[in-house]
Amino acid sequence: MHLLRKLAPHWRAVLLCLALLVVQAFGDLSLPRYTSLIVDVGIQQSGVEHASPDQLTASTHDQIAALLTQEQGGESAAGEKPAGESAAAPDGAAAPAAATGGADPAATDPAALFAAAYEPAADGTFALTEQGSAVRDQLDAVVAGPLAQIHGLTAADDAGAADPSLLQQQGIAAAQKEYQALGRDLGAMQMDYLLRTSAIMLGMAALIMAAMIAVSLVASRTGARIGRDLRQRLFARVMEYSAAEIDSFSAASLITRGTNDIQLIQNICTMLLRMVIYAPILALGGVVMVAATAPSMAWIIAIAVAVLLTVVGALMAITGPKFRIMQQVIDRVNQVAREVLTGLPVVRAFSREDHEQERFDQASTTLYRTQLFTNRAMTFMGPTMMLIMNGVAVAVVWFGGLRVSMGTLQTGQIIALITYSMVIIAGFLMISMISIMLPRANVAAQRVDQVLATASSVADPAEPQDALLPDAAQAPGARIEFRDVSFAYDQQGENALDHVSFTIPAGSTCAIVGGTGSGKSTVLQLIERFRDVASGQVLLDGVDVRDLSQAALRSQLGYVPQRAFLFSGTIRSNVGYGQDHLSDERLAEALRIAQAADFVAERPEGADAPIAQSGSNVSGGQRQRLAIARALAQPARAFLFDDSFSALDYRTDAALRQELQTSLAGRTVVIVAQRIATVMNADQILVLEDGRVVGRGTHAELLESCPEYRQIAESQLSPQELESALPASAAKGGDAQ
């Protein structure tokens, strides 16, 4: 089971909880017994616990000894009498013998047992010996009948035929009369017993409280650690993922698995340690205590447990499938909500609020119906459990009352039986409630395990060739080469790049242009190794990027993504994101090159001005310039700009390109752009069309040799700008025509 595997590393805490729960269950199961003793012994029996008094008068001692001796002599004659008919007067010991079993020493030689149990005292009475205290229960069975007969509580003919429980009660009553004959204060004996038993109960309650606090502490800490470890492991795994794995799971599902699912696992693990382990201990212990207290009443508990298990089994069969799909429905709700909130401007621009509301309502209603179904099932369980509990209580009182009237059961035992029955049913109720929640938690554990078990398709090699790369802070630009590279986002889909080959010399500027979906951004993702090629090689300084560790590769590259993303924090923390300690000089230089120094200086806090989540408190152009500054602050050998100038006005674009040309001299620059004005001064321009390189050269060369590039240029440049870029021979040839 996926959920139980989460507890395996914490086996010490599980064993500690188990030990503490055993202690707690022992206390919980002991309290009803002490309550029964207070009622039966402390109140009804005036504190007298045994039918064998701890002191006897000389006359009583001699009479009991005579009766036991007479009984032993008349055993054979008693055995010949018809069933149901008593033997001679001393047959009072026959019932205890039956009650304690044929192998009981009291049944074979009760006179010898009695003789060894008492010794003469200095005041002329007989006191209980240590040997008698050691066999007190057997001694009670031997003495009860004769003592009751002596004090006139039972006739000689009735002593042997009496029910063992009734005979024991008669013996207790006779012991009270014996104590009175000895001059004992029964009121003091009663109060002493009540205080002693109450003190034991208070100590037991304190023990239960300490065990409960300890279990709660250990279980809560263990559950919290499981949640923390799972979140750390899942986040670390997701951080290793390439874009392919992120796309396969979806961001919304990964967020749900990392928050809702793990929280559910954490809560259930805590409940497992606190309740699920405790419930069977309590239930089984209650069954044992019922069997020990009143075996004749155990059938009531057996019927209640059978009905309870039937109800729980039916509910699990009905609700189990619903719990299994609930997490998927939650994923759907999160996905729709995330899409709507992210694309809210688009929704409003096209007046699709009603459509999106309907879409969200549909997902939310599905979740609502699923939860409503399971909650109704849980609601049905509560009254059913209460009906069973109350039915058991009524049955115990009804049938127990009959036995009390017959003298075979005491009032305190009835109270204990009711308490034990409630404990047993409560234990099974806890098991049933958790068992209904377990399928959902197990599904959550499976979903988390699925993420943890999915390895990234982009991984570091076993033996990285990082030593082949120079220090990025001191070496000149890097040489980048594509050798017959093919790549597809979907293994069954068409290639995004198809047999692409080109070389970008170290220290040069290369621009990549083309139509939408031509594969421009894919080229930069393969250089950064966000994804791996399907075939061919991407080389950095002649080394396949797959032979380098990802950290070493990306330390050589400064990257500006197509969508400028900023983290919540400050301008300083965003620009210096790639370094632990960014100097003020380096920060100012990066902002100046990125044309961001002016608007940063306008902020009262300067570089310490706050940046909201996703950079929502700055404009698109400012966000883009800060993203460029972040890349420029890196000591990289190659800088990759993925359409990073689209939000800039022409003046800022021109100034930025001029600064890049001056400040990044000697570094390799790769620019993906839509504007011809942005790339026309590049040393080399690659033209992509449907994932293939259809043109390579300078701006002027491509205007003359590449129809695709000329078409793009004609859509953006005036005829004069086009003519000025053509070679003189080409321009004259065009005029002659």
Side-chain angles (χ1 to χ4, degrees), residues 372-385:
L372 183 62
F373 182 88
T374 55
N375 289 340
R376 282 174 175 169
M378 295 291 291
T379 303
F380 174 77
M381 176 180 292
T384 304
M385 297 301 106

Side-chain angles (χ1 to χ4, degrees), residues 417-734:
L417 283 174
I418 294 175
T419 306
Y420 286 134
S421 64
M422 297 303 103
V423 165
I424 294 169
I425 295 176
F428 280 99
L429 179 60
M430 285 190 286
I431 295 174
S432 63
M433 292 178 63
I434 297 298
S435 63
I436 290 181
M437 299 174 65
L438 281 177
R440 182 182 174 190
N442 195 48
V443 170
Q446 287 178 337
R447 285 158 52 86
V448 172
D449 287 344
Q450 185 182 11
V451 176
L452 296 177
T454 302
S456 175
S457 58
V458 175
D460 289 342
E463 298 181 0
Q465 305 296 314
D466 298 347
L468 299 177
L469 297 178
D471 185 2
Q474 301 177 1
R479 180 175 181 272
I480 299 173
E481 181 180 0
F482 273 50
R483 289 183 183 173
D484 195 29
V485 170
S486 295
F487 172 79
Y489 287 98
D490 185 356
Q491 295 182 354
Q492 284 74 35
E494 297 181 357
N495 284 343
L497 294 179
D498 195 11
H499 299 287
V500 172
S501 299
F502 61 84
T503 300
I504 304 175
S508 66
T509 298
C510 177
I512 304 176
V513 298
T516 302
S518 58
K520 306 183 297 297
S521 296
T522 304
V523 170
L524 299 193
Q525 292 187 41
L526 295 178
I527 296 174
E528 281 278 352
R529 208 187 169 208
F530 294 152
R531 303 175 186 268
D532 273 341
V533 299
S535 63
Q537 290 180 298
V538 178
L539 305 168
L540 184 71
D541 289 338
V543 182
D544 194 317
V545 295
R546 291 171 293 186
D547 294 332
L548 302 170
S549 67
Q550 297 175 69
L553 169 65
R554 289 160 189 165
S555 68
Q556 306 279 321
L557 307 172
Y559 176 67
V560 184
Q562 190 172 20
R563 178 177 176 268
F565 181 85
L566 299 181
F567 296 92
S568 58
T570 64
I571 292 176
R572 183 186 301 275
S573 66
N574 273 278
V575 175
Y577 182 73
Q579 302 183 63
D580 294 331
H581 302 287
L582 181 66
S583 65
D584 291 340
E585 294 78 11
R586 186 66 180 170
L587 172 66
E589 179 69 8
L591 291 173
R592 183 188 64 80
I593 298 174
Q595 306 301 300
D598 291 342
F599 83 81
V600 172
E602 292 174 358
R603 299 289 183 101
E605 305 91 341
D608 295 317
I611 296 295
Q613 182 180 359
S614 301
S616 59
N617 61 335
V618 294
S619 68
Q622 292 171 338
R623 188 161 55 246
Q624 204 164 62
R625 281 178 279 173
L626 291 176
I628 294 172
R630 179 171 58 201
L632 296 175
Q634 294 288 106
R637 299 175 59 215
F639 292 90
L640 313 178
F641 299 92
D642 188 0
D643 201 10
S644 306
F645 312 104
S646 58
L648 305 181
D649 58 84
Y650 283 96
R651 183 176 64 83
T652 304
D653 186 0
L656 177 57
R657 284 188 283 110
Q658 183 62 38
E659 285 292 341
L660 290 177
Q661 187 174 2
T662 303
S663 303
L664 299 183
R667 305 286 177 175
T668 304
V669 178
V670 182
I671 301 174
V672 169
Q674 299 290 346
R675 295 178 183 172
I676 294 297
T678 303
V679 304
M680 60 191 307
N681 294 323
D683 300 322
Q684 178 184 205
I685 301 174
L686 300 177
V687 184
L688 296 182
E689 183 74 22
D690 295 332
R692 293 179 176 273
V693 178
V694 295
R696 181 187 296 111
T698 63
H699 173 63
E701 293 170 349
L702 291 173
L703 283 176
E704 185 176 7
S705 62
C706 181
E708 291 83 1
Y709 183 80
R710 186 178 182 92
Q711 183 179 4
I712 296 172
E714 287 177 345
S715 66
Q716 299 181 23
L717 302 177
S718 65
Q720 293 78 12
E721 290 173 321
L722 288 172
E723 185 175 345
S724 63
L726 290 171
S729 59
K732 288 180 180 179

Side-chain angles (χ1 to χ4, degrees), residues 261-272:
D261 288 357
I262 291 181
Q263 186 66 38
L264 180 60
I265 294 170
Q266 176 179 329
N267 293 338
I268 292 297
C269 285
T270 302
M271 296 175 69
L272 280 171

Side-chain angles (χ1 to χ4, degrees), residues 195-218:
L195 291 176
R196 186 171 68 253
T197 307
S198 299
I200 295 174
M201 291 185 70
L202 288 175
M204 197 67 68
L207 178 65
I208 294 171
M209 181 182 70
M212 290 179 65
I213 293 174
V215 168
S216 298
L217 177 62
V218 174

